[in-house]
Amino acid sequence: ASVVAPTYISEIAPKNLRGRLTSLQQLAIVVGILVAFLSNYLISTSAGGSKETWLLDKPAWSWMFWMEAFPSVLYFCMLLFVPESPRFLMKAGKLEEAEIVFRKIAAPEQVPGLITSVQESLDGAKQGIGKTSVPFNKLLRNPVLWTGVALAALQQLSGINVIFYYGAVLWQATGFTESDALMINVASGVINVCSTFGAIALVDKIGRKPLLISGALLMFITLGTVAVVFSQADIGGDNQLVLTKAQGVIALVSANLYIFAFGTTWGPCVWVVLSEIFSNQMRGVAMASATFVLWMTNFAITMTFPGLLRNLGLTGTYFLYSLFALISFFFVLKFIRETKGRSLEAI
């Protein structure tokens, strides 16, 4: 889903709305995270604890997983009504079917131009670039692939999902109670959702590159602020950080400003850029490769956080994530070009 959805949206969206519509991918992710937080909270509360038995004498934690079946079934049913991508149909030589889809998603006077531009792109691939589907060994030598892969990895290396996956653990480590930590987690999910609406409003007006640059800089500043606050905190008898009231407020505000900065910029914009920068003949495989790296980086960040927490502490861990945010700033500055308002073929 995370490979095909943004690719599909980019291939059916009008160029002036493509950023906004592709950002719906990230909105779906963050809404899903928030719904999962609320679902888990309600199930745990109803059962009297995540390890207590609930419906059908099964533990509450297992019901937290089973709840995922409902959106999966809904997703499957809705996909039955989704037409095939017209660019894929043209690549497969199904011109008449592609024209039918184009007429559904574009104004009648735009359809001939769309068909011509896609056909020229595919013809150019056959004549000068290679086959309409790029062999994977040739794809590996394409610098655009590695630009997309690096961008995907950097989205995760600033540690955004550590805050969501380990939110309760993280805030308890700074002295907050378990109840307060869970409430902070839900609040962070709400901020993430709201900020994504900001990205949807801005991405086709301001552009992708300015949002990525400003977002990386804001993430570096806010993560660095949290790290500095943690470095000034006292250590309690249980080896947990003991924050003063002022330090707790600064850390909490900075962490949520970081979430806001990510949600408004890097969260949705990376999906938008990845769905745009690859040519018609390589988009599917390249998008799959970049998305694979994104989720593997997510996995690596998730698995290494407990070890980093033990060995570097919260201060060192946050400094590391802020360093990756700074690297992201310079990477976008040098390697990413603006794609706002241009057709996929022009890009």
Side-chain angles (χ1 to χ4, degrees):
S2 62
V3 174
V4 176
T7 305
Y8 178 82
I9 294 169
S10 73
E11 292 188 347
I12 66 166
K15 62 183 180 181
N16 61 313
L17 296 175
R18 191 172 58 242
R20 197 174 303 175
L21 295 177
T22 309
S23 296
L24 294 175
Q25 159 85 354
Q26 179 67 9
L27 180 63
I29 292 173
V30 298
V31 168
I33 291 171
L34 178 60
V35 171
F37 283 155
L38 293 173
S39 171
N40 291 346
Y41 174 77
L42 292 172
I43 291 171
S44 179
T45 302
S46 178
S50 61
K51 296 180 181 179
E52 302 300 323
T53 56
W54 197 43
L55 302 180
L56 304 178
D57 290 327
K58 300 297 181 183
W61 64 262
S62 63
W63 277 100
M64 294 176 183
F65 286 96
W66 289 340
M67 286 298 167
E68 297 176 31
F70 292 102
S72 300
V73 171
L74 178 63
Y75 186 50
F76 172 81
C77 293
M78 293 177 71
L79 283 173
L80 298 176
F81 301 95
V82 172
E84 182 55 86
S85 160
R87 285 175 168 84
F88 173 82
L89 290 170
M90 289 192 65
K91 185 177 173 181
K94 301 178 180 179
L95 183 59
E96 291 182 3
E97 293 180 39
E99 185 176 350
I100 292 171
V101 179
F102 271 132
R103 292 191 181 281
K104 291 181 179 179
I105 63 175
E109 65 273 12
Q110 295 176 331
V111 173
L114 286 169
I115 292 174
T116 300
S117 63
V118 175
Q119 192 62 58
E120 286 175 352
S121 169
L122 295 174
D123 289 343
K126 292 176 183 177
Q127 295 168 9
I129 304 171
K131 299 177 181 178
T132 54
S133 295
V134 178
F136 193 67
N137 62 340
K138 189 173 182 179
L139 183 65
L140 289 175
R141 298 194 295 271
N142 191 312
V144 182
L145 170 70
W146 294 107
T147 300
V149 164
L151 190 69
L154 286 169
Q155 189 208 51
Q156 296 296 312
L157 286 171
S158 67
I160 183 64
N161 282 311
V162 165
I163 289 180
F164 291 116
Y165 298 159
Y166 293 103
V169 175
L170 191 153
W171 291 113
Q172 285 181 74
T174 63
F176 286 90
T177 65
E178 181 183 30
S179 177
D180 288 341
L182 288 171
M183 285 302 298
I184 291 170
N185 230 23
V186 174
S188 297
V190 172
I191 290 170
N192 201 18
V193 171
C194 293
S195 62
T196 306
F197 282 106
I200 293 171
L202 294 173
V203 67
D204 283 320
K205 293 181 179 179
I206 295 177
R208 289 69 157 143
K209 186 168 182 174
L211 285 176
L212 289 172
I213 289 174
S214 59
L217 192 59
L218 284 170
M219 290 191 296
F220 167 68
I221 292 170
T222 51
L223 286 171
T225 301
V226 174
V228 170
V229 170
F230 287 164
S231 71
Q232 301 299 313
D234 295 327
I235 305 296
D238 52 0
N239 209 33
Q240 287 187 327
L241 294 179
V242 179
L243 303 177
T244 65
K245 186 175 181 179
Q247 288 173 332
V249 170
I250 294 171
L252 191 58
V253 170
S254 297
N256 282 301
L257 281 175
Y258 161 70
I259 293 171
F260 180 82
F262 180 89
T264 312
T265 60
W266 276 74
C269 283
V270 166
W271 291 111
V272 173
V273 173
L274 290 179
S275 70
E276 293 176 328
I277 62 174
F278 304 122
S279 62
N280 283 329
Q281 66 269 22
M282 66 184 281
R283 185 174 298 114
V285 176
M287 186 68 178
S289 302
T291 306
F292 171 77
V293 170
L294 186 149
W295 291 119
M296 286 303 294
T297 308
N298 176 309
F299 175 76
I301 287 291
T302 303
M303 297 303 290
T304 56
F305 176 73
L308 289 173
L309 197 59
R310 286 192 302 270
N311 297 301
L312 298 180
L314 279 172
T315 302
T317 303
Y318 268 83
F319 269 127
L320 181 63
Y321 295 150
S322 69
L323 176 62
F324 280 118
L326 185 61
I327 292 170
S328 302
F329 171 81
F330 289 108
F331 176 82
V332 173
L333 210 59
K334 181 173 178 58
F335 294 107
I336 300 300
R337 299 182 185 180
E338 184 55 66
T339 54
K340 180 188 73 170
R342 305 178 70 187
S343 71
L344 293 179
E345 286 67 42
I347 295 169

